[in-house]
Each structure stands twice: as C-alpha cells, then as structure tokens.
Amino acid sequence: GDSPGMNACVRSVVRTAIYHGNRVFGIKRGYQGMIDNDIEEMHLDSVGGIIKLGGTILYTARCREFLKKEGREKAFKSLKKNKIDSLIVIGGDGSFRGLYDFINEFSIQGIGVPGTIDNDLYGTDYTIGFDTAVNTALEAIDRIRDTAQSHNRLFLIEVMGRHSGYIAVYTGIGGGAEDILIPETLTDIKGLTEKLKKGHKRGKKSSIVIVAEGDEAGNAFEIKKKIEKLVNWEIRVSVIGHVQRGGNPTALDRLLASRMGYESVLAIMKGQSGKMLGIVNDQVNLVLLKDTWTKKKKIHPSYIKLAEILAT
Ligand code: F6P
C-alpha cells in the first residue's frame, strides 16, 4: 500500500544514489512491475516536484504471483536484464516478507524502508505516513467535535489500523477523546458506558470515542450496537477511512522519508542486506527484516494512562 511521504523517500533515494555515482531504476507497481519488467531508469529530474505529493509516483499493487517461487524467478530475470544488483523496498510487513524470501533465494542485496500509516513495524519509532495520517484524522475529529458538542451527542469515530492502535491513540489523545478502543487492550463495553454516563452527569457537552478498525470488540458499527443495548442515547458513527491514506505529507513525514531514503542508500553502499532501516531515538537502526513482523512494537503504556487521565 501507499502512504504519504513515499514520494519524498523515492526522491531521496534517487538523488542520494546518483550523488554517489550509482544508477537508479524505478520499479512500477511493486513486485508486479518487477515480474512484468516495468522498470525505468530514473534521473535527477525524474523526481522533481514530488516531495510534497501524497500517494506514490511508482504506483503499488498486490501481487499474488510474487508469493510463488516461479513469480520471484521472473522478477529476478527482469532485474538481471536491467543490471540491477540491489533493491530498496518501501512498504509494510507484506512488502518485507516478499523481500525476505526474494533475497534469500537470489543473489540480490535488499534493504526495506518502513512506509505505512499504521506505524506498526518493529525496529523504528515512526513509519513514513503515520504523522500525516494522524494529522488528517485529527482534523476530521475536531470537526466532528463541533457538531457533537452542538447536539450533545456520542460519536464513535473509526480510524485505520488493521492490527494496531497507534493512529487511534495519537488521535484520541490529540482530539481529547473520552475513550480509545484499540486491539492492544481489552475493550470493556460496560465500563465504557459507565464512564460515558459519569462524564454526561458531570456536564460534558459531547463524547467522542475513537475506535481502531482492528479493535477486538468489533468495528465502530458493531460497538455502537453493543452500547445501545445498555443506554438509550443517540449515537452516531463516523468512519474516517481512506482519506487518512492520502494527501500531502506533513513536514515530519517529508523529513523522515528523506532521511530514511538517504540512509538506505548509504546502507546498501556499505553492503548491508536483509534489514529494514529504522530510526530509533533519532539514530539509524538496522533491524533484521524478519524481526519487523515477528516482534511486536508495543504502544508505551504511559500513553494509555495519559489518555485515561485526561479523559476524566
Ligand atoms: O496497512 C495500512 C492500511 O491503511 C490499514 O490501516 C488498513 O486497514 C488497510 O491498509 C486498508 O487496506 P486497503 O487499502 O487494501 O483497503
């Protein structure tokens, strides 16, 4: 999938690689383009003006063929045809699993760069696109707060995050949510309802509950049904959806993407392979590709406590 800031990363890879005397090729539609030999040499001006663009100029695709050895063989042939000996793959765990298999089977060097709005990859504090997604969702939440406040309503707002509550926690704290439901913690519907009633009694003019789409108690519509069994309030649901994946990247995402692109080229030039280039505590952190999906990046418990205290 795409995430805002990927273009800034592509630009950085291209310009850093050329600066150091390398040739760079852009592979369209991810692994599918590699199989189809949809590959073009990139030059300094191929990436002009793209730092501020969302999406990805290289496009992206799901590629079932690459899951099979025959598909990966075809992809390797395309790389050889273009005299490509190393790969920089920007993406999430699916992209990294593919890269892991590929470089274990063929003599090719490969580095992964974390690009996903979910921020769920182990080995990096932040992934490219997360900050933009949080800011986009937060703007929507602020707008919903205005209407919720006018009607004294309860809103359940669903944000993205298939297996991760990062977007939910960041937007929940930033948007002053009354509660945040995430897959990393057990959702207690009765407890939630009691808490909302208490707030209402205290004179709160509106309530917003952020629901991560992957919450184990269900999506926002399913949670609405469960709450409705316990109270007779008017509840509205708002699913922010793919709007979180698009748009111009924030300053932080442009910077992160530029830095990661630059460092990934240096890592390749130093002979590194089979790793993801993360940034932890502002330092480059090369972590084994496999660790990025087998180890779980935990949301620091202090965020959960903070959200709880501020929501009272
Ligand atoms: O992994 C990124 C992500 O945006 C998730 O947050 C979301 O669940 C998923 O992709 C949506 O995928 P698709 O665009 O295929 O519907």
Side-chain angles (χ1 to χ4, degrees), residues 62 116-118 160-162 167 213 242 245:
R62 294 205 190 288
T116 161
I117 62 164
D118 292 352
M160 274 185 164
R162 227 181 328 210
I167 299 181
E213 65 174 335
H242 282 79
R245 275 247 299 265

Side-chain angles (χ1 to χ4, degrees), residues 39-87:
I39 300 175
E40 265 173 35
E41 182 154 10
M42 298 188 85
H43 306 281
L44 292 178
D45 57 1
S46 318
V47 290
I50 68 167
I51 192 167
K52 63 184 173 63
L53 302 180
T56 156
I57 61 158
L58 292 176
Y59 308 110
T60 179
R62 294 205 190 288
C63 180
R64 297 213 148 272
E65 232 183 316
F66 200 73
L67 294 171
K68 300 200 192 102
K69 178 97 192 258
E70 303 86 79
R72 296 196 287 272
E73 242 157 30
K74 277 194 210 163
F76 183 65
K77 278 187 190 146
S78 304
L79 295 188
K80 285 291 110 185
K81 222 181 263 172
N82 291 283
K83 299 197 171 70
I84 292 171
D85 49 26
S86 49
L87 277 177

Side-chain angles (χ1 to χ4, degrees), residues 155-192:
F155 265 86
L156 302 179
I157 305 181
E158 187 178 298
V159 296
M160 274 185 164
R162 227 181 328 210
H163 309 293
S164 157
Y166 264 100
I167 299 181
V169 167
Y170 275 56
T171 54
I173 293 174
E178 275 55 42
D179 211 340
I180 306 169
L181 312 185
I182 54 172
E184 289 86 348
T185 58
L186 265 187
T187 295
D188 163 19
I189 299 287
K190 206 160 168 266
L192 166 67

